[in-house]
Structure formats: C-alpha cells, structure tokens
Amino acid sequence: MAATSTREKIICAADLLFYQQGFSHTSFADIAKAVNISRGNFYYHFKSKDQILSAVISLRRSNTHLLLKKWELCTAQPNLRLLSFIQLLQLNQDNILRYGCPVGTLCAELIKLDHPANSDARMILTLYRTWLRRQFSALGHKTQADNLALHLLTQSQGIATLASAFNDRTYLSRQILLLQQWLDKLLNQETIPVS
Amino acid sequence: MAATSTREKIICAADLLFYQQGFSHTSFADIAKAVNISRGNFYYHFKSKDQILSAVISLRRSNTHLLLKKWELCTAQPNLRLLSFIQLLQLNQDNILRYGCPVGTLCAELIKLDHPANSDARMILTLYRTWLRRQFSALGHKTQADNLALHLLTQSQGIATLASAFNDRTYLSRQILLLQQWLDKLLNQETIPVS
DNA sequence: TGATTAATAGGACATATGGCCTATTGTTTA
DNA sequence: TAAACAATAGGCCATATGTCCTATTAATCA
C-alpha cells in the first residue's frame, strides 16, 4: 500500500473510484485528489482517460486470474472451489450492497457508452465462466459444465443487482445460502450427469 | 406518436436515451436533437435535468403499473400471468441484448451517482416484486410467495446483465426457456406449499 | 381586434472536464 | 560535479454541459 509506484497508486485509486462512482462520473481531478497528485502529473503516466480505464481493466483481469489460481492452489476439490466462488459474494457483501458487482456494473456502463474497452471488460466474466466450467467438468458434469457455470454467473449478477438496488443485506445473505444449497444438492444427488 | 405534447415527447425521448446511453451520458442537447427542439425551449418544460429524470421514472412506474394491470385483466390464471412476466424478456430481447434491463441498469447507475431519485427507481422493482408475490400467493404459495418473486426478479436481472455483456442471443433464449420450465415444475409438482 | 398567455428559439454564462504544455525539482549516472 | 533523465506541479485551452435570460412567434381569449 505504501511502497507502490505512483502509476500503481493511480490505477488502484481509479479502480476503486470507477467501481464506486462509475467510469463516466469519475474525473481526472477525482483520481488526482485520491492519490494526492497534481492533475498535470497525470499526463506523464497516462495520456488519456481511456488508457486509465484500460489499465484498470487489465488490473482486474490480472487480479481475477490470480484469485482463480489461488483457489485452485489452496483447494484441491472442485466442489470446494465452487464454494469459494459463492463465498466471494459473502466476503464482499458490504461493497456489493453499496455498489453492486464490479464486473457486471462496469460491463453495463461500457455497453451504454459504446466504449471500445467493452470487450476487454467482458473478458473478466469469461475468465470466471471458463474457470467455473472447468470445475463442473472435473466433477463429472461434462455436457452441462458451461450451462452450470452460466447459472452461477447469472445468479451472482442478479443477486448483486437486487442486493444493491434494495440495499438489503438479509436478501443477500439468503441468496448466498440458497446458492450453496443448490450446489450441495447438485453435487450430492448426481456425481455423474443423468442425461 | 404524433399527437403528443412537447412535454410528452421530451419525456419519451429522454426515457429511450437514458436507457440506451445512461442518464449521465445523455445531455440536454441529445434530448433536444431527438425531439427537434431548441435547447432553450427545454427550460420552459423542465427546470433541471433531475426533473426530467423524475418525469422519466414516473413514466416508467406508470407504464409498469399499466402493464401489470393489463396482465391481470387479460389473464385470469396467476400461472399464466407469471408466464407473461417471463415472456417479457423474450418480447424485449433485442433491447435487452443491447442495453440490458432498463430498470436494473438505471438503478445501478443512480446508486453509483448517489442520486436522490435512486429510491424512486427502486420502486419500479418493488412494483414487480409485489405483483409477482401476489400471483404466487394466489397459487397457494403463501409463505414462499415473496421468495419466489425475488427468485424471478433475481433471475431476470442476472439474465439481462449477462445477455448484454456477452451479447449472446442463444444464452438469452435458453435462460428464458429454463425459467419457464422452472415455473412449470414449481406449479405442477406442488400446488400447495410443502413446508 | 387587441391583449394576455403559451411556446419556442437562440444565445449568454459559469463550471467542469479531458487534454496538453512548460518550468521546476529530484534522481541517477558518466 | 555536470549532464541526462525521471517525476511532478501548475496552469492554459477548447469543448461540453447545465442553467438561465430575453426576444420573438403562436395561440387563446375578452
């Protein structure tokens, strides 16, 4: 946190502000103030706002990749790895309640802006999708792996959207519990796909 | 479309633009151009951008209310009414693929802007929630009515988010089908709640 | 018809913002 | 130490935008 370069500090601050305020609504001045840097110094590190966005998305992709790798290294069993994904909602519940899902809301915003970085942001979702698919596949759900992955993604996006819209912690907790139960039921009832 | 007042035209154009481009990213000039009106004339009808937003949200709430009333009048059976809700995703699939859910994305944006109209926008979701709850309740699911309503809302929000993020029509169609199957299964297996 | 009001157009203005330049300071290196 | 480079500060500029004012035109009504 302290020993990072200015460039890294800018990216981190932008990452947070883009999440909290949205990309459009975050100005150079906002980021500069957060990093305690003059606005002029900005241009030395980033030539445009789009470059900052690009760096932020890169960081998020990298962080997501690392997180998924960590789950793989720390947890050998795919079913427990899937549980880690669900528990991420619990871990980030405070932020989710206030700002929704960082990935989903960014994608939604960039789509409306018709921003070129749109496809880069989508890649973060694809990272999750592919990883989840691999876990389901390893659990024997070969043909349904992608559908199951999409189900988890769909659920988490819907949950994050409603949790923040209603600002309802009870709802969020309950949905996380239901997701865990769904996973339990799926994995205990049929280790090998039926159809 | 032709015989509407200028004020109504402004609200309609703003409604569409807020959906397509987002609230922040839509300027007075954008709306004025869409309605073919000078920017100065704007102030005669709306004193601020927030007033336009307020009017747009009012319109959406009113339209939602009318839609739900229509479903109630046209369809006597609650299970078919619930089907109407699901089929709304199908009916609006082109827009959903491009811009996501109008309600969900507006709520998400207003939350990040920390906009006072945030709670008004949320009311649209509440309209759906209450209506869905009543239908489930009428079908005998007294205790689970609200949870089932939230499940449908969660699903549709998640589906809209991913459908637009991935821009994947196949995904959207499949999720709609799964929702319909879920409803069928729920209503056929147990007309009266088990627990 | 004349007067009053409704509606519209066009522009003015302050502010915010992204983008950019230059001078200055700090650091490294030959 | 002197030179070269990295990093930073502060300000300038064009544009966009929300807000607001005034003059003009259209519509209504006594």
Side-chain angles (χ1 to χ4, degrees), chain A residues 46-177:
Chain A
F46 294 97
K47 271 176 257 164
S48 74
K49 198 180 175 185
D50 286 353
Q51 281 195 6
I52 301 182
L53 175 63
S54 195
V56 166
I57 294 178
S58 270
L59 175 71
R60 293 195 186 180
R61 284 176 65 170
S62 170
N63 283 344
T64 304
H65 185 74
L66 288 176
L67 182 66
L68 297 175
K69 266 278 189 284
K70 194 188 101 185
W71 287 345
E72 279 190 22
L73 291 176
C74 294
T75 317
Q77 295 174 299
N79 53 338
L80 292 182
R81 291 177 183 167
L82 290 170
L83 208 59
S84 298
F85 175 81
I86 295 174
Q87 283 167 344
L88 188 62
L89 289 169
Q90 208 158 31
L91 203 69
N92 295 340
Q93 59 178 310
D94 287 351
N95 282 326
I96 289 173
L97 277 169
R98 277 207 267 181
Y99 313 112
C101 168
V103 192
T105 53
L106 180 64
C107 282
E109 184 179 2
L110 296 184
I111 285 169
K112 298 213 188 227
L113 296 182
D114 202 18
H115 197 285
N118 170 17
S119 53
D120 286 336
R122 172 190 356 202
M123 283 300 293
I124 305 175
L125 281 175
T126 304
L127 277 180
Y128 279 111
R129 178 179 180 175
T130 309
W131 186 86
L132 289 171
R133 187 203 303 153
R134 275 215 311 278
Q135 309 314 315
F136 281 115
S137 197
L139 287 166
H141 294 273
K142 302 288 184 194
T143 58
Q144 289 298 307
D146 192 51
N147 286 330
L148 292 169
L150 283 175
H151 178 80
L152 268 188
L153 273 186
T154 304
Q155 285 288 118
S156 44
Q157 285 303 317
I159 291 168
T161 302
L162 286 196
S164 58
F166 288 132
N167 190 30
D168 187 339
R169 180 173 251 109
T170 308
Y171 161 83
L172 179 56
S173 300
R174 187 166 186 283
Q175 296 301 317
I176 293 170
L177 192 69

Side-chain angles (χ1 to χ4, degrees), chain B residues 6-180:
Chain B
T6 302
R7 185 190 160 88
E8 282 168 333
K9 279 192 216 163
I10 290 175
I11 297 176
C12 280
D15 182 26
L16 187 63
L17 286 171
F18 288 172
Y19 178 36
Q20 295 175 336
Q21 309 182 347
F23 170 68
S24 305
H25 200 241
T26 300
S27 67
F28 278 71
D30 290 333
I31 306 174
K33 196 162 70 179
V35 187
N36 247 328
I37 266 184
S38 72
R39 244 180 42 256
N41 190 12
F42 238 101
Y43 203 73
Y44 179 77
H45 297 281
F46 295 97
K47 271 176 258 165
S48 73
K49 199 181 175 187
D50 285 354
Q51 280 196 5
I52 302 182
L53 176 63
S54 195
V56 166
I57 295 178
S58 270
L59 175 71
R60 291 194 186 180
R61 284 176 66 169
S62 169
N63 283 344
T64 304
H65 185 74
L66 289 175
L67 182 67
L68 297 175
K69 265 278 188 285
K70 195 188 100 187
W71 286 345
E72 279 191 20
L73 291 175
C74 292
T75 317
Q77 295 174 299
N79 53 337
L80 292 182
R81 290 177 184 169
L82 291 170
L83 208 59
S84 298
F85 174 80
I86 296 175
Q87 283 167 343
L88 188 62
L89 289 169
Q90 206 158 34
L91 203 68
N92 295 342
Q93 59 179 309
D94 288 350
N95 282 327
I96 288 173
L97 278 168
R98 277 207 266 181
Y99 313 111
C101 169
V103 192
T105 53
L106 180 65
C107 282
E109 184 179 2
L110 295 184
I111 286 169
K112 297 208 190 234
L113 296 183
D114 202 18
H115 196 287
N118 171 18
S119 53
D120 286 335
R122 172 190 354 202
M123 283 301 293
I124 305 175
L125 281 175
T126 304
L127 277 180
Y128 279 111
R129 178 179 181 175
T130 308
W131 186 87
L132 289 170
R133 187 202 303 154
R134 276 214 311 276
Q135 308 314 314
F136 281 116
S137 197
L139 287 166
H141 295 271
K142 302 287 184 194
T143 59
Q144 290 299 306
D146 192 51
N147 286 329
L148 291 169
L150 283 176
H151 178 80
L152 269 188
L153 273 186
T154 304
Q155 284 288 118
S156 44
Q157 285 302 317
I159 291 168
T161 303
L162 286 195
S164 58
F166 288 132
N167 192 28
D168 186 339
R169 182 175 249 107
T170 307
Y171 162 82
L172 180 56
S173 300
R174 187 166 187 283
Q175 297 300 318
I176 294 170
L177 192 68
L178 288 177
L179 259 191
Q180 291 172 339

